[in-house]
Amino acid sequence: MDREVGDVPLAVDVGSQEDLARALRQLRRRHARRHGYTELTYRELAARSGYAHGVIGDYFTGKILPSTDRLDVLVALLGATGEEQRAFATVRDRIDERRRQPAAVRTTADSRATSFSASRSQSAGGVGQQEPAEAAAQDRVPVSERSIRGARTNGAAAATRTLPRDIASFTGRVAELRQLEGAEFPDGVVGIHVIVGMAGIGKTALAVHAGHRLATRFPDGQIFLPLHGHTPGQRPVDPVDALASLLLTVGVSVSHIPPHLEPRIGMWRDYVAGKRLLLLLDDAVGHEQVRPLLPGSAGSLVLVTSRRNLTALEDGSAISLDTLTAGEASGLLVQLASRPDLSPDDPAVSHITRLCGHLPLAVAMLGRQLHHHPAWSVADLATDLARSRDHRLELMHAENASVAAAFDLSYQDLSADQQRLFRYLGLHSGNDIDAYAAAALTGTDLATSRRNLEALYDQHLLSEPAHGRYHLHDLIREHARALAATDPLSERDAATDRILDFYVHTASTAIRHVARRQPVASVKPPTAAPDLPDRETAVAWLSAERLNLHAAADQAASCGRPGHAIAISGVIHGYLCSYGHWDQALALHRTALDAARQAGDRCAEPSVLTDLGVVQRLTGATSSALSSFAAALDLCRDLGDRPGEADALNELGVTQYVTGDPASVASLSRAVDAYRALGDRSSEGAALNDLGIAQMESGDVRAAAVGFTQALELHRSLGDRLWEANALNNIGAVQRMTGDYLAAAASHGQALELYRNLGNQLGEANALNNMGIVQYLTGDYVSAAASHTKALELYRTLGNRFGEAMVLNSMGELELASATAARAAAYHEQALAVAAAIASPIEEARAQEGIGRCHLQDGRTDEGGRWLFQAFSIYQRTRSPHAQRLATVLHDHGLWPGDSS
């Protein structure tokens, strides 16, 4: 007899999973008709459900009978009503019963109690008794009205008096095996090892492998008991049922097993007392499930596997599994692929395992796929994985098992709020996250965020590589993204806005303690933000979040939020420059510039161009820097942006100085005047510093000294310690040039201390180089060499090629005075190569002069003259006062063209 549920026919006496598959297909067609679009594909259903699309195809073609929980999810996605969901569940259970039982007993199956769950309900004195059919019917409520866990059938306990077979492909875990095999426990204490880790990490494989290796130490036997913490379609095994199974396994008859928990615990511990047993409890859901099963006296060893951290389990020694190493993962793939021509060193092999995140389950599934598909090449599989970067999980399956399904079982154990956080973590673009950012992502308070993160960590859906910072494995992140795709677009957009606002807001707060200039960024404040009261905490936050901020800017630029991308780029510019993250700054500013141009935001372009030009200059790309500043100036003048014009003028002047352009003094003077007219005292002080350096190079030392002194007073009045250090360092250079070496050493020493306290490595390198010059001039060659060597190390670490050329020349001058001309020439030649590469005529001429002097000292007068004249030509072209000095040297040696020898 048939009945119609809507227009989806379900047969009450249906007898096959093919009939169920036909009903599923009809439900999918109805869903498409009602919504006016084509039927959902298997891939679309996979994205919404989190299951592998290949497995979903098997469900819809009748090849595989879906588990109860998966069927509920699928029919709910296809718009089934509550009544229809119950009808589908009833049909599915009947099919499963008929498939599992012999024909002779099918008619009486409902009256037979074959699991310990049923036995317990019948023997517990009638309190809360239910017939199996009634219990199943109560489970059959719509998926929207109950948790997935509630859909599982009661877990049947099935202990065995032997361990599962060991696997030949077991790989790695050397340290963990050593820990298990070498463990010693105090007298009277049961040995308990809890092996924990994320789904697919290989917990059971390690426990079984270790169990076989340890078996001879436990002559009274080995018992394996699955606890079904994460078995599809089953509830976790109740301890009372588990104890009954253990007692039956060791030979206790059914009639002698007491009905209640405590007597069963006593009977089990009485039996184990004095024996040496190895007990493997697999897939535990919590400490409450495990504790009643533990022996009460020493001599036995218990191995527990769990996806949760069983922190409440007393005396348990935790072994937390990480992914395999790159080499172990490659070895596992090659072993399971079983291809004689395949090597772990094959680049395609390492590419595949890297895309698997070195997760054993994923690597094993792909290895077996390669074995069973001889027509597949390893390179082709690697290419397929790389192309399916956001859909890799769909390729990681074997028959009806998949990596996504393994992850989903952990997800199902979470509460609704925890599931929401997990899904939204898939929207977070960074590498790790803290509780504040997670609170912003979900719009919750900080306490709730912390609880939910801890719950995900407890399920090993997150790792905690540093205190309070959580990380998603790449494949788990992909699963979270797939689940998030089923949320309404408006909710996902709101979450993205909240997290981007959080990063802009908190970075703006932090940068106030770090950089002289703080760009204005107006965003909605987050629900919770870290307290950043001083420079130390601000720098610590920026350092921890640096890569996340970059990822957030990239995400903003790619998802139509150019304002956030521009804001992040501008806000953290000063931090990135001060702490040497110049490659990152280049990429970030280019992203922001592209975002501004694509959005047609001309007002945002000048500041981004100026920031970009600064980093281009720092990395030696002076020609590109000049172009960026010129473009910024043109835009500012068109827009009437006077502060932006002053910034661009100042940075242009600094770059002109670096490239030996005499126009630098004029540009910097105009910048000083512009800042003064705007009343921007901080920027005025910085520009005075820059102007003084250019004046000093042009020979106007007195004007430079006045400017540096004014700058020092301004920055001290503003409490700006970084620019105070810059002014002190520059004052030291003036004092050195006027012969006051003692005062110069003191000024450079004060600057050096400030730079180090601020953690500013570029300033530290500059001060060390200047200190080294003073030490050389006062005859302290050993200290000078140490200062220059440290400065060179810092410049190279930072990638500051101008500084590198500068200190190499200083080292050459020191060597010429203290060692040999040959060693000195080697330093100058290195400096010349760097200076030429970055188009820095100042250091190029200095290097050429140094090489020429080395030749003069070694008696090669003509060769020396040629080098000195090249240097003179550059000095003359750049209007440097060094031109007159060098002309005198050439005349004194009779090397000036036209001089008679």
Side-chain angles (χ1 to χ4, degrees):
M1 178 177 180
D2 288 346
R3 61 187 170 112
E4 290 285 318
V5 180
D7 54 357
V8 180
L10 286 174
V12 175
D13 59 350
V14 65
S16 71
Q17 60 195 47
E18 288 78 10
D19 295 334
L20 181 62
R22 188 179 304 111
L24 279 173
R25 295 194 296 272
Q26 291 172 348
L27 185 64
R28 183 171 62 154
R29 285 195 291 272
R30 186 189 74 180
H31 180 262
R33 288 197 303 274
R34 287 181 174 179
H35 291 83
Y37 48 64
T38 57
E39 295 180 21
L40 291 173
T41 66
Y42 296 157
R43 287 187 182 276
E44 289 171 331
L45 284 169
R48 298 186 184 192
S49 66
Y51 310 140
H53 76 276
V55 174
I56 289 177
D58 290 341
Y59 294 159
F60 276 78
T61 55
K63 293 179 181 177
I64 296 175
L65 180 67
S67 61
T68 304
D69 54 337
R70 289 194 169 202
L71 181 64
D72 280 347
V73 170
L74 289 172
V75 298
L77 284 174
L78 295 173
T81 65
E83 181 185 357
E84 289 170 345
Q85 289 182 46
R86 287 189 289 273
F88 268 101
T90 300
V91 169
R92 186 261 171 215
D93 287 351
R94 185 171 293 109
I95 293 170
D96 194 34
E97 286 179 13
R98 294 188 177 188
R99 185 182 64 172
R100 291 174 179 272
Q101 297 177 356
V105 298
R106 284 178 187 162
T107 57
T108 58
D110 286 346
S111 64
R112 302 267 181 99
T114 58
S115 75
F116 286 107
S117 295
S119 300
R120 182 166 65 91
S121 65
Q122 291 170 357
S123 62
V127 179
Q129 285 189 14
Q130 289 181 323
E131 291 296 323
E134 292 173 346
Q138 288 190 8
D139 272 346
R140 294 178 191 130
V141 296
V143 71
S144 59
E145 299 173 16
R146 59 175 167 80
S147 69
I148 297 298
R149 171 171 287 216
R152 298 183 188 176
T153 60
N154 291 327
T160 57
R161 195 66 193 263
T162 183
L163 297 174
R165 68 177 183 85
D166 200 1
I167 54 173
S169 60
F170 184 86
T171 300
R173 310 302 186 199
V174 175
E176 291 85 355
L177 286 168
R178 188 181 300 118
Q179 180 179 345
L180 288 168
E181 293 175 346
E184 295 183 2
F185 294 90
D187 292 341
V189 176
V190 178
I192 306 170
H193 288 287
V194 183
I195 302 171
V196 296
M198 64 185 282
I201 203 72
K203 301 178 292 293
T204 302
L206 171 61
V208 170
H209 186 73
H212 280 283
R213 291 175 60 153
L214 295 167
T216 56
R217 301 186 192 178
F218 300 95
D220 294 311
Q222 301 85 45
I223 297 177
F224 178 79
L225 176 59
L227 295 177
H228 298 306
H230 300 87
T231 301
Q234 290 196 50
R235 293 179 185 272
V237 173
D238 193 292
V240 75
D241 298 331
L243 285 163
S245 181
L246 289 170
L247 291 167
L248 282 173
T249 300
V250 298
V252 179
S253 67
V254 173
S255 61
H256 288 90
I257 296 176
H260 302 298
L261 179 64
E262 291 302 326
R264 288 186 181 185
I265 292 174
M267 179 177 285
W268 168 242
R269 290 180 176 171
D270 283 346
Y271 172 81
V272 178
K275 292 184 172 61
R276 295 184 61 81
L277 278 174
L278 190 154
L279 177 61
L280 202 168
L281 304 175
D282 187 49
D283 193 18
V285 75
H287 68 277
E288 302 95 336
Q289 187 186 32
V290 172
R291 189 180 287 118
L293 314 182
L294 300 176
S297 56
S300 293
L301 175 68
V302 181
L303 301 180
V304 184
T305 70
S306 180
R307 296 188 188 184
R308 290 181 172 174
N309 293 311
L310 306 186
T311 53
L313 189 64
E314 299 86 349
D315 298 323
S317 175
I319 298 177
S320 184
L321 297 187
D322 201 350
T323 54
L324 297 174
T325 66
E328 290 167 349
S330 294
L332 177 61
L333 184 82
V334 168
Q335 187 176 3
L336 291 173
S338 189
R339 295 187 178 187
D341 59 339
L342 196 58
S343 165
D345 298 327
D346 189 321
V349 169
S350 61
H351 193 191
I352 290 172
T353 57
R354 188 167 59 253
L355 290 169
C356 290
H358 302 140
L359 183 68
L361 178 62
V363 172
M365 285 183 170
L366 293 179
R368 293 188 188 100
Q369 285 185 25
L370 285 170
H371 178 67
H372 291 290
H373 291 273
W376 291 9
S377 75
V378 180
D380 287 344
L381 180 56
T383 300
D384 289 344
L385 281 170
R387 287 175 178 168
S388 305
R389 184 82 193 184
D390 293 330
H391 304 284
R392 286 173 292 175
L393 290 174
E394 296 178 7
L395 302 177
M396 298 173 185
H397 61 85
E399 298 185 13
N400 64 339
S402 70
V403 174
F407 292 161
D408 199 57
L409 290 168
S410 293
Y411 173 76
Q412 291 168 10
D413 278 344
L414 304 174
S415 69
D417 283 348
Q418 293 159 5
Q419 288 181 345
R420 181 169 175 265
L421 171 59
F422 177 76
R423 296 194 305 273
Y424 282 12
L425 288 174
L427 304 176
H428 180 248
S429 56
N431 183 61
D432 61 1
I433 195 168
D434 68 358
Y436 292 100
L441 193 62
T442 54
T444 57
D445 59 76
L446 184 61
T448 301
S449 172
R450 283 175 171 156
R451 284 196 304 271
N452 289 341
L453 283 169
E454 188 62 25
L456 267 60
Y457 174 74
D458 188 55
Q459 286 280 4
H460 284 274
L461 289 167
L462 294 174
S463 61
E464 189 181 17
H467 177 65
R469 303 201 65 82
Y470 298 91
H471 172 74
L472 280 173
H473 185 277
D474 280 354
L475 295 181
I476 291 183
R477 183 187 302 276
E478 183 181 319
H479 187 56
R481 272 199 301 268
L483 292 173
T486 65
D487 285 319
L489 179 60
S490 60
E491 294 181 12
R492 283 180 277 146
D493 283 346
T496 300
D497 287 338
R498 286 193 300 268
I499 191 64
L500 293 176
D501 282 351
F502 166 80
Y503 281 125
V504 172
H505 172 87
T506 314
S508 298
T509 301
I511 208 67
R512 294 172 190 159
H513 301 292
V514 179
R516 180 179 57 81
R517 298 292 301 273
Q518 296 99 38
V520 177
S522 179
V523 293
K524 185 178 180 180
T527 55
D531 184 25
L532 305 174
D534 51 38
R535 183 184 184 90
E536 183 179 0
T537 55
V539 170
W541 186 87
L542 288 165
S543 299
E545 299 290 352
R546 176 171 61 87
L547 297 180
N548 287 336
L549 287 163
H550 194 155
D554 286 343
Q555 180 183 17
S558 65
C559 68
R561 292 167 174 83
H564 287 92
I566 295 163
I568 291 172
S569 165
V571 166
I572 66 173
H573 167 76
Y575 162 75
L576 294 176
C577 288
S578 293
Y579 288 85
H581 304 297
W582 297 340
D583 287 343
Q584 182 184 354
L586 280 174
L588 190 59
H589 296 329
R590 285 169 179 152
T591 296
L593 184 60
D594 288 343
R597 286 173 173 169
Q598 289 171 13
D601 189 350
R602 296 183 76 234
C603 292
E605 278 191 61
S607 63
V608 180
L609 281 164
T610 299
D611 288 347
L612 176 61
V614 169
V615 186
Q616 288 168 330
R617 181 183 70 234
L618 287 170
T619 54
T622 51
S623 178
S624 298
L626 290 169
S627 297
S628 295
F629 297 136
L633 276 171
D634 288 343
L635 277 168
C636 287
R637 287 163 180 161
D638 287 347
L639 297 166
D641 180 357
R642 292 175 62 208
E645 182 179 356
D647 289 341
L649 261 176
N650 188 69
E651 299 301 345
L652 174 64
V654 173
T655 309
Q656 287 169 332
Y657 158 73
V658 169
T659 57
D661 186 344
S664 63
V665 172
S667 296
L668 290 165
S669 297
R670 289 162 59 200
V672 169
D673 292 342
Y675 286 132
R676 193 168 286 154
L678 290 166
D680 186 345
R681 299 177 69 229
S682 175
S683 297
E684 179 189 346
L688 281 168
N689 255 317
D690 296 332
L691 174 59
I693 294 171
Q695 289 169 329
M696 199 164 52
E697 181 63 29
S698 69
D700 194 351
V701 177
R702 179 172 297 179
V706 171
F708 291 147
T709 303
Q710 291 176 357
L712 180 62
E713 292 170 354
L714 271 172
H715 292 308
R716 279 180 171 166
S717 70
L718 295 169
D720 190 333
R721 292 188 298 156
L722 175 58
W723 280 89
E724 178 187 347
N726 289 340
L728 280 167
N729 201 31
N730 293 331
I731 287 172
V734 169
Q735 291 164 334
R736 181 191 75 229
M737 293 178 72
T738 56
D740 192 352
Y741 298 146
L742 188 62
S747 295
H748 292 316
Q750 291 178 60
L752 182 60
E753 183 179 1
L754 278 170
Y755 286 132
R756 283 176 170 164
N757 289 339
L758 294 169
N760 189 299
Q761 292 184 311
L762 177 58
E764 181 182 354
N766 290 335
L768 281 166
N769 184 49
N770 283 332
M771 181 70 82
I773 295 172
V774 173
Q775 290 162 337
Y776 148 61
L777 291 171
T778 55
D780 188 358
Y781 297 153
V782 174
S783 298
S787 296
H788 288 322
T789 300
K790 179 60 178 175
L792 179 62
E793 178 186 328
L794 286 169
Y795 283 132
R796 284 178 169 167
T797 299
L798 293 167
N800 188 322
R801 306 213 71 201
F802 178 74
E804 182 182 358
M806 186 167 57
V807 76
L808 283 167
N809 275 324
S810 297
M811 295 173 85
E813 291 159 0
L814 173 64
E815 288 295 318
L816 187 61
S818 62
T820 66
R823 288 173 58 179
Y827 280 120
H828 286 305
E829 287 165 0
Q830 291 180 60
L832 180 61
V834 174
I838 63 172
S840 174
I842 294 173
E843 294 304 322
E844 190 174 353
R846 189 178 167 202
Q848 291 169 342
E849 180 181 352
I851 293 170
R853 289 183 179 277
C854 290
H855 286 303
L856 290 181
Q857 183 163 309
D858 275 350
R860 294 190 291 272
T861 306
D862 290 344
E863 184 68 13
R866 280 192 292 273
W867 282 102
L868 291 174
F869 195 78
Q870 290 181 55
F872 168 80
S873 299
I874 295 176
Y875 288 144
Q876 189 178 48
R877 186 180 78 241
T878 60
R879 302 178 192 175
S880 169
H882 298 302
Q884 184 176 353
R885 175 184 55 77
L886 198 53
T888 301
V889 172
L890 288 164
H891 281 298
D892 288 348
H893 285 80
L895 297 171
W896 188 262
D899 286 351
S900 58
S901 53

